[in-house]
Amino acid sequence: MVMTDERSTQAITDLPDHASLGRVVRDQRKALWVALALIVFGLWFGQYGNWTIAGCIAGGVLIGLANHLHTEYWLLRIITSGSDLTRGQMTRATIVRLVILAVVAIGIAVAFWPAGIWLLFGLGIFRLISFVMTAIPLLKELKNK
């Protein structure tokens, strides 16, 4: 006997016909609020005369947010298209995206060195928080099954 969960059935029926950036932004409201809070926190350092550090923290969060939204858009596009990607294709796409992210972040960090290290800090903090925000609902779903 197969039992279906109402929430998972509803999530499947809530999928749009096509992927749109607007849908991704609506679905990622929590991540946007977290990014805004981290940017405000980062810019708070600017009032102490450390505007380069403040800008680098905010820039790191913005780069992390752009990566997060791009990843969500990519996944929504795959899901709505109905195509089946192989594990190798997904791995290659992820590696390319992460290499581009790393090159951009490290390039900006080097350009603003030594304060540029704070860009990597902002990026890392946002990635950690977005990972936790993604993992907690998944763990709750696994616990309920």
Side-chain angles (χ1 to χ4, degrees):
M1 176 165 70
V2 176
M3 297 179 64
T4 60
D5 186 9
E6 258 183 53
R7 289 177 291 175
S8 63
T9 306
Q10 182 180 4
I12 291 171
T13 59
D14 287 346
L15 284 176
D17 294 335
H18 66 284
S20 70
L21 192 57
R23 171 68 186 233
V24 171
V25 169
R26 278 192 308 275
D27 290 346
Q28 298 301 317
R29 286 186 305 263
K30 287 181 186 177
L32 290 169
W33 283 111
V34 167
L36 180 66
L38 288 172
I39 288 170
V40 168
F41 173 74
L43 292 176
W44 179 73
F45 284 107
Q47 68 182 341
Y48 298 110
N50 297 324
W51 287 106
T52 307
I53 291 174
C56 285
I57 292 172
V61 172
L62 283 174
I63 291 172
L65 179 63
N67 177 52
H68 181 74
L69 292 176
H70 179 267
T71 302
E72 292 294 325
Y73 178 70
W74 178 70
L75 289 172
L76 185 62
R77 214 174 63 218
I78 290 170
I79 291 169
T80 57
S81 72
S83 64
D84 292 328
L85 291 180
T86 65
R87 195 177 290 171
Q89 290 171 323
M90 289 185 77
T91 301
R92 280 189 296 278
T94 301
I95 289 172
V96 167
R97 181 179 44 82
L98 291 176
V99 165
I100 291 170
L101 174 73
V103 167
V104 168
I106 292 171
I108 294 171
V110 168
F112 289 98
W113 194 262
I117 195 72
W118 290 96
L119 182 119
L120 301 176
F121 175 77
L123 174 63
I125 290 295
F126 180 79
R127 292 302 306 147
L128 177 66
I129 291 172
S130 67
F131 173 74
V132 169
M133 287 174 46
T134 304
I136 288 175
L138 289 174
L139 290 174
K140 285 182 181 178
E141 186 70 29
L142 287 174
K143 183 180 176 185
N144 290 335
K145 288 189 177 199

